[in-house]
Every structure is written in C-alpha cells, then in structure tokens.
Amino acid sequence: MSDGFRLRVKYEIRGRLAYLSHLETIRSMERVVRRAGLPFAVTEGFSPHMKVAFGPALPVGAGSAGEYLDVRLQSYIDAERALERLQLAAPRNLMPLECFYVDVRADAIDVTYPLSLWEAEFSCDGDVREMLEALRCAFGELLEKGYIEVIKRKGRAEKVKQVAFEGRLIEAPVFSAEDTCVVMRFSTFQGNEGALRPDKFIDAALALMSTPARLVRLTRQELRENG
Amino acid sequence: MPKTRFAVNDDLWNQFAPLVARVEKPSRYLGQEWGSVEPSEKSDADYHAVLVYPDTYEIGQANQAIAVLYDCLNANERIYCERAYLPWVDMITAMRASKLPLASLETYTPVCDFDFVGITLPHEMASTNILEFLDLSGIALHACDRTEDDPLVFGGGPLAYNPEPLASFFDAFFIGEGEELDLEVALLHRRMKQAGASREQILRELSHVEGVYVPSLYETHDQRIEGLSSEMRGYTVAQPRFDDVSPRVVKRVIQEFDTLKALPRLIVPYSELVHDRLAVEILRGCNRGCRFCQAGMIYRPVRERSADTIISAVAEGLACTGYDEVSLTSLSSTDHSTIGQMLRRLNTRFYGTGKSVSLPSQRVDALGVELARLAAGEKKGGLTLAPEAGTQRMRDSINKGVTEDDLMQAVIGAVEAGWRGFKLYFMIGLPGETDEDVAGIGALCKRVYRAAKDAIPDDQPRNIRLTVSVALFIPKPCTPFQWDGQIPLEEIQHRIEVLRGSFPKKGIDLRWHDSATSYVEAVLARGGRECAELIEQAWKNGARFDAWTEQFNFDAWQQAGQACGVPIMQRAVCEYEEGALLPWSHISCGVSEAFLRSERQKAHEAMTTPDCSFGPCSQCGVCQDLHVHNSTQVKRVLPEARL
C-alpha cells in the first residue's frame, strides 16, 4: 500500500481537560502519537508535519466520551498494540480508547460521523423535579422560537447570526432527574451549513429562566454515523 | 507527619471551574499536563514546596530554571514540589470577586498552605507581579508580618544579584545556581520545622548556608546620591546585624556542570508557550564580556556539556515529550567548542523525521551563519543579529567584539545561503555615546541593506526585509556600567531624531522601545530597600504586568516615585560614585569590583578585553574567588581558525 495505513483512534476528554481548546487538543494528541512512537507519515515540503486529521471541534468546556483522529502510518502496526502504546503515552484525562484501521480513501471523520449526542448535567440545590420542569419550560420556549442568535466576531466587527434548529437539532432535549441534578440529552447534526453549538443552545435556554440552572458538565457522549 | 499527606483539593477546583469557564485561555489553569508530578507519586513526602513564576502560565512554564528545580526537588522522596503562576488579569478579577486564593496547579492547594514558596525573579518589571502574587495567595506582603503558620518565601534568579528593592517581601534569597542550593534549603527547613524550630531560628540557620541571603538579618544605612536634591532619597546599603551573619554573600556555582542531569523530568503543556519546544541547556556562562550585559558577568565561568550528553538528551527528550523541535539553549550556544559537529550529527539523525533543531541566538560572523544554516535546514525565516552599536569605536567600548567586516560577511553569507529577512538589534544611550555613534547605526544599516541586495543572485527578485530594533541602554548591577546613569528624556528624544534622520525613508523598518519602561527598569535594577516602598505604592496605584506593553502604567510608577521620594526620571539618570558602597555590595557574583572598574575605564578608552574561554585569563576574579574554572569540551578556537 503506497499510501500507507490510516489508523483511526477514538479517545475521551475528561475532567479539567474539557477546558482545552480544539487546537490545544490537536497539539496534545499529536504529541501523544509522537510519544507512542507510532510510525506516522510526514508531509513533504517546506515545513514537514505529521499526517493527521481530527473530527469536529468541541466547544471549550465540553468533555467527550469519544472523539476521533486519523493518523497516517508508514508501516502497519497491530491496532491493539498501537492502542497500548498510545495509552501509555497519554495524559489520563485525554485517553485513547480504541484503535482500528480504515481505508485510506474513506470519508473524513466529520463526514463519517455527522451526528453528535450530547449530555448536559445541571446541579440542583433545591427540588430536582421543580428544576427539571423549569428547564423543560425554558427549552420548550426556545424550541418554539426555532433559532438562537450567536454573535460572530471578525476582528473588531460583530455580527449577529441566527442559527435555526431545523436540520441541526436532530433530537430535542430529553430530561431525567437524578439525586441532586438534572441530566439532559439531545443530538445535533454538523453539516456544511454550520452546526448548532450545544453550549450556545444551552446558554440561550438558561437565559429564559428566572433563576438559571447551573450547568456543571457538558459531554459529547457519542459521534454517530447518519441514519 | 502522616503519610500520603497530599491530595487534589477537589473542593477548591470545583470553585475555580466556573471561573475557568469564562476567562481567556482556560488551559492556563488546568495543570494535569504530561510529566507533571501527581500526589500519588509522593506517598512518602511530608514537605510541600511550590515553585512560582510571577507571570502567566505560558511565560513561566517555558522557564528552564523552574523545570530543573522542579525535577531536583521532586527527586527527593520527602518533598512534593508543585507549580504556581500568576493568573491573567481577567482571572485575578474573578478570583478577587469570588474570594478565592491562588492555588497550585497540581493539587489546587492554596499557596499560603505550603512550607516553601520559591519565586523566580526573572527581571525588574516582574516586581509588582510578585506583590500581586503574594496578595492573591493571602500571604502577608512584608516578611516581618508573617507568622509561624506562613510559608517561607524565597526568591532566586537574576534579580537576586541586587535583591534589595524586593528585600522586605522575601524571607530569603538564593544567590547563584539552585540545583543543590534549593534542595539543601528545603531539607534544612523541613528538619528544623519538624523539630519545632521557630521561623526566626530557621532563617538564622539558613543564613549560614553558602549562597543564602536573609535580608532581615541585615540593617541598612542611607547613602546620598551625588547630584540629587536633599528631599530625594538616596539608596540604602546593607550590613549584617550579627557577628555570625556574613557581610558578603557569595553566589553558589556548580563546577561539575557536565555531570548534572542534562534532561530534567519535563512537563508538556497543553497550551502554546512562548518557547514551545524542547530546550536542552548545552552550556552555562558566557565570558564574551559585553560591558552592558549582566548575564555575561553573573553566570561565569563557562562550562560546556559534552556532545554525546547533549545528543542523548535531545533524542530522549524528543521521544518522551513528543515535541518536534529542540532548541540548544545557553547564553551563547554557537560558542560551544563542538557546536558544528553536534548540529551535523543531529541533522543526520533527524533527516526525514520532521524534527528540527534551533539555536536561540546567532554570532555575528560567517561561522554564525554557517551554524544557523545547519540548524535551519530548508526553513529560513528571519536571521537575527545583534551588532548593538553603529560605530567600531562604540562596539569596542561595549566590548562587543564584532567588526563591520564580521557583520557584512554574516549578512552576505546568509543571503547566499538563502535568507532574505534580517533583524538587527542595537542600543542607544550607552555611556560615552555621541551623535556620531547614533547616526552610525543608520549608516551601518544602509550598508548592510545594500550589501544584502547586491548578494542576491541576478536571476532572483532583489527583495530584502531588514528590521532594525533599537533599545535604550539600562545599567545593571555587577556590570562595568553599573555606576552609569541613563540619558535624560530630552537627550533620548534628540538621539531618536538623530537615529531616524540616519535611516532611509524606505526599505528598512526601524523600531525603538518605549523609554518609560526602561527608566523604571533602571531605577529598580540599581535601587536599594527604599525601592520597596516605590514598588508597593506603584502596585497599589494599579501597576502589574509591567512587562506587557499594553498593561504598563507609567503614571502609576511616576506618582509612586513622587510619593516615596524616589522620582523615576531623576533616579534613572543619576551616576553612582565609584568606590562608594552600592546597594548590592554585600552580594557577590565572583566578578571583582576592581575588574568592573578596569573594564569601565577601558570602555572610556574604547579598548577591548578578549573572551577568556578562547584565550588568556581576563582577571575577572571568578575563578580565584569561587574556586572554579572554564571547562570546555575541546579547546575553543576563534572562528577564522575553525572554518
């Protein structure tokens, strides 16, 4: 195989590391690959760098139970062996979970997995049922509106853009009450038209509450294939 | 003390988390990097140290001294050493509003709960940040107000060679190299604390350790400064209060540098640092003897690591960190006696791997360019050269040891090797400088620009990017120019006019530094304990992050100066009397005052002093006083003999 081998790595982002930016995660995972000593391929040209590609960005503050990266290898290495080496070279909250090979000409990660399943946790000091209802009302009101407004900054200029839910919010929020918190699950589609950012979606609903709930965790539970 | 004493303070982290979520660059506050020491690794530790850099994470985490000392302290099973940095202004505001104390990165333990707080003193403009750090940590600013429950606050680094402006904020200073000293102090403190000794007893005992300065054991006297009016304060000089306290604290230095670990345990950050690459220190010290340069005096003698040690450290360091670039660091890396051979070996090893080697500075001669070419490979961004002065007389006066021929050879060689972008560094306001010397900078740059263009092959576009950066001279302690003042503001304005007039209107990009920051830096560099009040008042007036151009608040400093009787402009320009005691006279870096005076005299006469690591002894006093000597891998030879 002259194009080498394309190893797909699934990894999680937990705890404090949910606050890493996408670029910081990329840089850190590239360093994990280097430390693991995988036989990665390097681009040719003026500034050679690792041939690696990442999936869709997570908002800062969101963790993940399963992100993906594809690294091109010059030589084959058993996927289980690669996983062991990656795990030994990774910080404990940025941990590779699974490795498998995909065809070198397979679709990019964000095309393969256009759906994101999100889980948000809101802490509750008072009555959990009351908070669940308040959250349900706020999100209901927001869904009726049909869009959120996000501010796009370009240099010093600011532009307000409407992001409609249609085509982007695939499964509307579903709530469940736990001991001292409310857990909410929903799914989004990230396509060429721009995705619905889960953090902005939640912020917009919380702004409608008289006493906003406190978001304590936001996690991408899964990146899914379409259909 | 119980075992497994240390654990992550999740409660405090949980209080920080909502703040982290809304500030700039949250990754500054996360810790948990690859290579950081976790509490689970320190089950036998019962002494808690924290190393601090008084600036943001991305500046401090790149500091090599912290990396080395973190490794040295954690290598001892009884000590758990963590790190802390100053949060950025948005986080400081949020922390004050939420009444949260500054905490360490590894375990989120409040800094005030540590035994040992070791603060790096990198430069004068970090002084107000130190106060901000102590205040945010809930530690009393003044050492005399601290109680038995407070940590001991130590300072070390370049500023420790004149610690007096910061003396009242620290319990003790470490003078010189810290690899052995920090550990010695930590273990002595641990032993005495566990035996129930008081703070006072511990500090008294620490003052007997070579290289430790305990300011509270010294009394000060005021020394008038000639030329300043009577309502302005002079500087203080310090003398011991007790017979068992040394009147002169001499720096600690490690002769067997090559036997020290070349590769400390390294922390790999998530966020991008100012120097985001592996750094391997290939040699320590520089004896070139530039007369304005403090580093060239305080880090003597020259000690090189062997090529084999360095190459192993580079290979191991890249493998265990995952970096793809290594910088071979030191004050003058290209002076290493086997640098060319090392670069060739590294290039062979890294060919086709995407890994690269960089050098932090270039020599101004043809060999420098040859070495830069070896390091850069195909990547040729910009080449930075520092002739420092525009005329040969001035370059000789500052002992730069560079001729116009060297510079031209360097530039022409670099153009032939493929470089098209150059940055040249100069200084103005040097002692003995004339208008002719200032105008000489422009004239020299024009010749460089023309020579560079002429060296471009005919079949290529004749584009050269030349940036010239001009800084204002700042007199520093322990240098031959320590007695000299800066030039007054009107004179600076005049010289900048002369400078601008000497440059062509197009082609060369001329930039000069803000003189206000240089004045504050000069006052603090040569101040005594009277400057503590100035720093504290400036901080109360809102000064912090003074090294960040957009944060620097000159009004805060000027008002503080007026209020404390230490007016910035007048103090910066005053000349100190040769022979009089100076604020730092009780601190010795080994270079004798006689040598500094002789060098100052030679500067007046534009006479040079050769680098003793290439030739005969220059009688600076370091080897005799500190019982050390230069130690190079092979005999250093001048460039013309090496090419």
Side-chain angles (χ1 to χ4, degrees):
Chain A
M1 263 173 110
S2 60
D3 291 339
F5 305 87
R6 184 165 155 190
L7 184 72
R8 182 157 292 176
V9 182
K10 183 180 180 183
Y11 60 97
E12 63 177 0
I13 303 176
R14 295 189 314 161
R16 294 187 207 172
L17 299 196
Y19 292 99
L20 295 183
S21 71
H22 188 54
L23 282 177
E24 287 165 344
T25 306
I26 288 176
R27 197 167 37 235
S28 303
M29 287 311 295
E30 284 182 2
R31 286 176 182 163
V32 171
V33 171
R34 282 201 196 88
R35 286 197 292 267
L38 298 191
F40 61 86
V42 174
T43 60
E44 287 167 17
F46 184 72
S47 180
H49 55 269
M50 183 187 295
K51 284 187 177 173
V52 61
F54 286 79
L58 271 177
V60 173
S64 175
E67 297 294 292
Y68 292 96
L69 67 86
D70 284 353
V71 60
R72 193 67 71 89
L73 301 184
Q74 289 173 322
S75 56
Y76 182 83
I77 169 171
D78 176 66
E80 279 305 308
R81 178 83 190 105
L83 178 64
E84 275 169 31
R85 282 161 68 166
L86 287 166
Q87 287 179 334
L88 285 173
R92 68 185 148 82
N93 284 340
L94 199 61
M95 190 51 71
L97 303 170
E98 198 182 337
C99 282
F100 53 95
Y101 282 98
V102 295
D103 190 280
V104 286
R105 274 169 286 276
D107 284 339
I109 294 166
D110 51 357
V111 177
T112 309
Y113 307 110
L115 299 177
S116 292
L117 180 65
W118 301 96
E119 189 175 279
E121 184 183 319
F122 301 92
S123 77
C124 180
D125 300 327
D127 188 293
V128 175
R129 288 270 147 214
E130 268 178 33
M131 193 171 80
L132 188 148
E133 278 315 309
L135 280 164
R136 204 196 300 272
C137 278
F139 277 94
E141 193 181 329
L142 186 63
L143 291 178
E144 213 156 279
K145 189 177 165 192
Y147 65 89
I148 58 167
E149 287 183 341
V150 290
I151 298 168
K152 295 272 176 194
R153 288 194 178 86
K154 199 172 183 183
R156 284 185 184 170
E158 284 187 357
K159 204 170 142 189
V160 179
K161 193 184 160 196
Q162 286 187 355
V163 180
F165 300 147
E166 194 183 343
R168 295 187 177 94
L169 183 67
I170 304 304
E171 289 170 283
V174 175
F175 300 89
S176 60
E178 310 278 333
D179 282 350
T180 56
C181 66
V182 173
V183 173
M184 176 180 90
R185 294 182 182 84
F186 61 101
S187 67
T188 57
F189 174 81
Q190 54 270 351
N192 292 336
E193 303 304 310
L196 172 65
R197 281 185 53 164
D199 52 336
K200 301 290 178 197
F201 177 56
I202 292 169
D203 285 349
L206 297 188
L208 300 173
M209 297 172 77
S210 52
T211 312
R214 197 156 60 85
L215 175 70
V216 289
R217 181 176 61 82
L218 174 62
T219 310
R220 174 144 60 196
Q221 287 298 102
E222 199 182 336
L223 274 165
R224 271 190 196 161
E225 292 179 31
N226 211 348
Chain B
M1 286 184 195
K3 277 194 168 186
T4 57
R5 193 184 132 185
F6 306 114
V8 175
N9 186 338
D10 286 323
D11 284 349
L12 190 55
W13 161 253
N14 288 336
Q15 293 177 64
F16 266 90
L19 275 52
V20 168
R22 60 172 199 262
V23 296
E24 220 180 86
K25 296 192 188 171
S27 55
R28 285 168 169 157
Y29 312 105
L30 303 182
Q32 298 190 338
E33 309 96 319
W34 178 258
S36 60
V37 179
E38 299 203 4
S40 56
E41 296 175 59
K42 303 299 295 188
S43 56
D44 290 332
D46 55 14
Y47 183 84
H48 214 181
V50 60
L51 293 174
V52 176
Y53 192 92
D55 210 310
T56 58
Y57 176 89
E58 62 271 27
I59 311 278
Q61 186 55 45
N63 183 273
Q64 268 184 288
I66 290 204
V68 168
L69 298 176
Y70 184 78
D71 185 53
C72 288
L73 290 173
N74 276 315
N76 188 292
E77 59 184 12
R78 297 292 177 197
I79 300 170
Y80 182 22
C81 179
E82 304 193 34
R83 297 157 297 143
Y85 301 100
L86 186 63
W88 184 239
V89 288
D90 55 355
M91 186 57 140
I92 291 175
T93 307
M95 284 168 65
R96 289 199 197 282
S98 306
K99 297 193 167 41
L100 288 179
L102 213 151
S104 62
L105 272 183
E106 282 81 353
T107 61
Y108 261 77
T109 301
V111 168
C112 59
D113 291 342
F114 280 78
D115 299 304
F116 172 121
V117 176
I119 305 179
T120 301
L121 311 173
H123 51 77
E124 291 78 2
M125 303 312 278
S127 300
T128 54
N129 280 9
I130 293 168
L131 300 200
E132 187 80 6
F133 182 89
L134 291 172
D135 187 59
L136 266 181
S137 303
I139 297 173
L141 292 188
H142 296 271
C144 59
D145 296 331
R146 291 178 197 142
T147 67
E148 295 295 336
D149 294 332
D150 286 317
L152 286 183
V153 179
F154 302 114
L159 280 199
Y161 289 90
N162 176 19
E164 293 306 293
L166 293 168
S168 50
F169 310 120
F170 283 84
D171 293 298
F173 292 96
F174 300 163
I175 318 296
E177 296 169 2
E179 280 98 339
E180 296 167 345
L181 184 53
D182 280 40
L183 185 61
E184 246 174 79
V185 168
L187 292 177
L188 178 58
H189 180 209
R190 172 182 171 272
R191 183 169 53 76
M192 291 188 75
K193 197 175 178 183
Q194 288 180 0
S198 70
R199 198 177 179 87
E200 195 183 339
Q201 288 168 322
I202 294 168
L203 286 171
R204 189 69 168 262
E205 194 57 34
L206 286 179
S207 76
H208 302 151
V209 175
E210 193 187 330
V212 175
Y213 169 53
V214 180
S216 58
L217 302 179
Y218 292 70
E219 60 195 3
T220 58
H221 305 281
D222 291 336
Q223 179 91 24
R224 288 248 321 116
I225 301 173
E226 204 62 41
L228 287 188
S229 65
S230 56
E231 67 269 21
M232 293 180 199
R233 288 161 74 172
Y235 59 70
T236 61
V237 293
Q239 283 171 335
R241 288 164 51 207
F242 307 101
D243 289 344
D244 62 318
V245 176
S246 174
R248 181 169 169 263
V249 182
V250 181
K251 81 164 178 181
R252 283 288 283 269
V253 60
I254 293 165
Q255 174 64 61
E256 303 307 322
F257 176 67
D258 196 27
T259 62
L260 290 180
K261 228 162 120 182
L263 191 70
R265 173 172 172 152
L266 294 164
I267 293 172
V268 184
Y270 297 112
S271 53
E272 198 169 359
L273 306 183
V274 284
H275 303 294
D276 203 12
R277 57 187 79 91
L278 174 69
V280 173
E281 188 186 17
I282 65 168
L283 68 97
R284 200 170 279 181
C286 170
N287 294 353
R288 289 193 156 243
C290 299
R291 292 180 177 129
F292 56 84
C293 177
Q294 190 190 38
M297 300 294 159
I298 62 178
Y299 295 119
R300 292 176 178 218
V302 162
R303 289 146 292 160
E304 294 180 353
R305 283 200 163 106
S306 73
D308 287 347
T309 305
I310 293 164
I311 287 168
S312 307
V314 168
E316 194 190 328
L318 290 176
C320 72
T321 59
Y323 282 121
D324 58 356
E325 185 184 351
V326 58
S327 179
L328 304 180
T329 64
S330 77
L331 291 171
S332 57
S333 295
T334 48
D335 282 342
H336 192 289
S337 57
T338 61
I339 182 75
Q341 178 212 10
M342 257 186 309
L343 288 171
R344 285 183 199 98
R345 281 172 67 184
L346 287 170
N347 281 348
T348 308
R349 189 183 267 245
F350 294 155
Y351 182 76
T353 63
K355 292 172 185 163
S356 62
V357 186
S358 65
L359 295 169
S361 59
Q362 262 80 45
R363 310 158 53 110
V364 188
D365 56 30
L367 178 66
V369 171
E370 169 61 12
L371 296 171
R373 193 187 61 74
L374 281 171
E378 291 309 307
K379 282 188 199 175
K380 293 194 179 64
L383 194 69
T384 301
L385 303 166
E388 306 290 3
T391 59
Q392 195 57 49
R393 187 193 73 83
M394 205 64 228
R395 284 193 295 275
D396 288 344
S397 175
I398 61 175
N399 203 38
K400 185 63 195 173
V402 166
T403 64
E404 184 164 335
D405 235 23
D406 292 331
L407 178 62
M408 290 303 172
Q409 275 186 35
V411 170
I412 292 167
V415 171
E416 286 169 355
W419 270 279
R420 295 295 179 267
F422 296 89
K423 191 169 193 180
L424 300 183
Y425 279 115
F426 290 93
M427 254 189 275
I428 59 167
L430 287 157
E433 183 183 71
T434 62
D435 282 2
E436 195 187 324
D437 297 313
V438 177
I441 297 175
L444 180 66
C445 291
K446 277 191 230 172
R447 292 195 291 276
V448 165
Y449 187 64
R450 205 173 307 127
K453 278 200 151 188
D454 290 347
I456 298 175
D458 290 340
D459 58 343
Q460 291 179 20
R462 291 167 66 80
N463 292 334
I464 288 291
R465 295 181 313 281
L466 179 58
T467 304
V468 176
S469 183
V470 181
L472 185 64
F473 160 73
I474 300 168
K476 294 281 171 129
C478 312
T479 67
F481 292 153
Q482 63 182 1
W483 294 278
D484 292 284
Q486 290 191 296
I487 51 173
L489 190 60
E490 318 80 72
E491 188 56 32
I492 290 181
Q493 282 158 353
H494 166 70
R495 290 194 199 176
I496 286 177
E497 280 312 305
V498 173
L499 180 75
R500 289 174 65 180
S502 70
F503 272 81
K505 289 197 172 51
K506 285 200 300 190
I508 305 176
D509 182 12
L510 172 65
R511 298 166 188 190
W512 57 91
H513 292 196
D514 176 28
S515 52
T517 49
S518 307
Y519 280 130
V520 173
E521 191 175 333
V523 173
L524 298 181
R526 298 195 305 152
R529 290 197 191 179
E530 74 288 349
C531 284
E533 215 179 301
L534 170 71
I535 295 167
E536 191 171 341
Q537 190 55 51
W539 171 70
K540 285 179 178 163
N541 292 351
R544 57 186 172 173
F545 288 105
D546 296 303
W548 295 67
T549 312
E550 76 281 12
Q551 296 286 327
F552 179 66
N553 180 349
F554 191 44
D555 287 346
W557 282 98
Q558 278 205 304
Q559 285 162 15
Q562 291 302 334
C564 305
V566 188
I568 302 292
M569 308 304 269
Q570 287 92 327
R571 276 293 287 264
V573 301
C574 66
E575 186 174 324
Y576 289 0
E577 195 187 331
E578 249 187 47
L581 280 175
L582 298 170
W584 55 94
S585 286
H586 56 303
I587 307 290
S588 173
C589 66
V591 173
S592 71
E593 191 180 312
F595 174 74
L596 296 179
R597 280 154 85 166
S598 130
E599 282 296 289
R600 189 183 189 211
Q601 184 55 37
K602 285 167 91 174
H604 294 161
E605 294 160 13
M607 286 171 64
T608 58
T609 301
D611 179 342
C612 67
S613 65
F614 287 87
C617 173
S618 57
Q619 304 291 329
C620 74
V622 167
C623 296
Q624 295 80 357
D625 198 13
L626 306 181
H627 309 292
V628 289
H629 52 82
N630 291 329
S631 154
T632 59
Q633 292 302 311
V634 294
K635 190 173 160 32
R636 284 186 172 183
V637 287
L638 292 167
E640 53 271 28
R642 289 165 75 183
L643 272 176

